Amino acid sequence: MSELDDGTLVSTRIRLARNLEGYPFPAHLKGEKQAKEIIRLISSGFNRLDDFVLYYMDGISEWEANALKENHLISPALMERRRLSAALINEDRSVSVMINEEDHLREQCILGGLRLDAAYRKISAIDGKIGRSIKFAYDEQLGYLTACPTNLGTGLRASVMLFLPALTINGSIREVVRSISRLGLTVRGVYGEGSEAEGYMYQVSNEVTLGVSEDEIISQVDEVARKLRSLESAERQRLKSGKSRLEVMDKCMRAYGVITNCAVLSSGELIALAADVKLGACLGFIPIREVSAIDELVMRMRPYNINLSAGRDLSPGERDVYRAEFVSSYIKKIAGAR
């Protein structure tokens, strides 16, 4: 694994909040007719972008919508407004544009690893194309006008998803979170605000969007992400060579044994076990080189993503059996086991 490919820096997200001039914010729209008008206006700006598909939230099934949420392509808030909302998603699913969530547009780009600059360039180019056909609500002093004052200014949220097992195990994650908060950044769980950290995963993002430039925001988040990686790396070395080495190795190897030999596996169990297997791989206890494959597996085995794979709405029990069989085979394959 290279310096930046040790499984710590999982993914990058850049999100832009925008609103159309002359229309009330989504929470104050005058019914379904006005909401659909905004969807038409925004989607028409994508006519030249052939690889985007428009999803009306009230036009897809409940489990299709939930699968999009599991893949971070839409938010829970968008699902709560299904009659009034839609999403534009590109072919490789690196970019999604939510329409009529908290703001008229929530444009986001998600890339693997630490690639804040690349993600910003990609979403900024799309934002520019939309802005040529639609006039955004903008104030010379306040910047982009948004439904929530915390998004005023650039409307930019830059975030990085990090895998921090060593900092979590040794308990120093609490002080790390406090230190990050003092810098004007925030730490959340896998699914953003209000969600819990699961599988040692943490999302670090900026809180301030007014009075700072896009470059300043991206630079700060990038710097903090790299610092966290450095702290995590140092703690992993202590786990690998310190007094707790045998205990940590046993925990990781037991997780590998269970995950590759069970007949039923719930989503929660998979997240916990896969995190320990990934830690074991990062520490060299388990022969898995491409640790990002474990992250992809966990996402693929979320409840509604399993429904998509199976092509039907499985019961919870059926999903747990499907997950156990698929995960066992997959982990053995990437570990080179027979």
Side-chain angles (χ1 to χ4, degrees):
M1 289 179 281
S2 67
E3 182 186 358
L4 295 181
D5 187 29
D6 60 358
T8 304
L9 301 165
V10 177
S11 63
T12 292
R13 186 188 73 155
I14 294 288
R15 190 215 70 196
L16 299 176
R18 301 286 188 261
N19 286 283
L20 277 59
E21 187 177 80
Y23 287 89
F25 293 134
H28 302 285
L29 289 174
K30 299 173 183 176
E32 192 172 337
K33 182 178 179 180
Q34 194 172 43
K36 298 292 186 184
E37 181 182 341
I38 290 171
I39 293 172
R40 285 194 298 272
L41 281 170
I42 293 171
S43 60
S44 67
F46 281 75
N47 286 340
R48 293 187 295 267
L49 303 175
D50 297 332
D51 64 341
F52 278 85
V53 175
L54 177 65
Y55 296 85
Y56 283 94
M57 287 299 102
D58 61 356
I60 61 177
S61 70
E62 187 74 20
W63 54 270
E64 285 175 307
N66 273 289
L68 293 176
K69 183 186 75 172
E70 286 178 347
N71 290 309
H72 304 281
L73 294 168
I74 66 171
S75 66
L78 193 79
M79 288 186 62
E80 291 171 4
R81 304 172 53 81
R82 291 187 66 172
R83 286 192 313 105
L84 309 175
S85 64
L88 284 151
I89 302 172
N90 73 341
E91 188 174 1
D92 68 7
R93 299 200 158 196
S94 63
V95 175
S96 68
V97 178
M98 293 181 283
I99 306 174
N100 291 333
E101 195 228 37
E102 185 177 63
D103 295 292
H104 295 142
L105 294 100
R106 287 288 178 93
E107 312 163 30
Q108 69 170 26
C109 176
I110 300 177
L111 299 177
L114 182 61
R115 300 168 64 193
L116 287 163
D117 286 331
Y120 177 68
R121 287 196 301 271
K122 190 167 186 175
I123 202 65
S124 183
I126 291 169
D127 184 61
K129 290 177 181 177
I130 300 171
R132 284 197 284 273
S133 59
I134 297 172
K135 192 167 185 180
F136 294 138
Y138 186 84
D139 180 85
E140 288 298 328
Q141 288 187 318
L142 297 175
Y144 291 100
L145 302 180
T146 55
C148 180
T150 60
N151 291 316
L152 282 171
T154 61
L156 170 66
R157 294 285 178 185
S159 63
V160 179
M161 191 75 72
L162 298 107
F163 177 63
L164 304 174
L167 290 172
T168 304
I169 290 169
N170 74 8
S172 59
I173 192 68
R174 300 182 191 88
E175 181 54 39
V176 167
V177 169
R178 284 193 289 269
S179 298
I180 290 172
S181 298
R182 289 194 287 268
L183 295 173
L185 302 182
T186 186
V187 181
R188 298 187 172 105
V190 174
Y191 286 97
E193 188 170 358
S195 66
E196 295 293 323
E198 55 181 34
Y200 308 131
M201 291 284 200
Y202 300 86
Q203 186 182 148
V204 176
S205 63
N206 64 298
E207 282 195 303
V208 178
T209 61
L210 182 63
V212 288
S213 69
E214 290 86 350
D215 287 343
E216 288 171 330
I217 292 170
I218 290 169
S219 177
Q220 185 186 33
V221 175
D222 184 270
E223 182 180 354
V224 169
R226 291 178 185 275
K227 178 63 176 176
L228 282 171
R229 182 200 166 275
S230 179
L231 292 172
E232 172 67 20
S233 180
E235 288 306 318
R236 287 186 194 177
Q237 287 304 311
R238 293 188 180 93
L239 289 181
K240 188 175 180 179
S241 58
K243 294 180 180 178
S244 60
R245 171 186 167 83
L246 192 60
E247 181 182 343
V248 173
M249 180 188 292
D250 183 65
K251 179 180 175 68
C252 295
M253 297 304 292
R254 283 176 184 271
Y256 178 83
V258 172
I259 209 171
T260 55
N261 291 282
C262 58
V264 179
L265 185 63
S266 71
S267 183
E269 287 175 316
L270 170 61
I271 290 167
L273 292 168
D276 286 331
V277 170
K278 182 178 175 180
L279 173 59
C282 292
L283 296 178
F285 300 150
I286 298 171
I288 297 175
R289 293 182 61 83
E290 297 297 327
V291 294
S292 61
I294 299 173
D295 300 324
E296 294 164 8
L297 174 66
V298 171
M299 186 68 70
R300 189 173 177 181
M301 290 294 103
R302 296 275 183 178
Y304 293 98
N305 277 324
I306 287 180
N307 285 346
L308 285 180
S309 295
R312 63 189 182 92
D313 194 0
L314 300 176
S315 69
E318 289 174 322
R319 286 199 299 265
D320 290 351
V321 171
Y322 182 103
R323 184 182 294 112
E325 182 178 352
F326 187 95
V327 168
S328 174
S329 175
Y330 188 92
I331 291 291
K332 287 177 182 177
K333 181 179 178 180
I334 63 175
R338 295 183 179 180

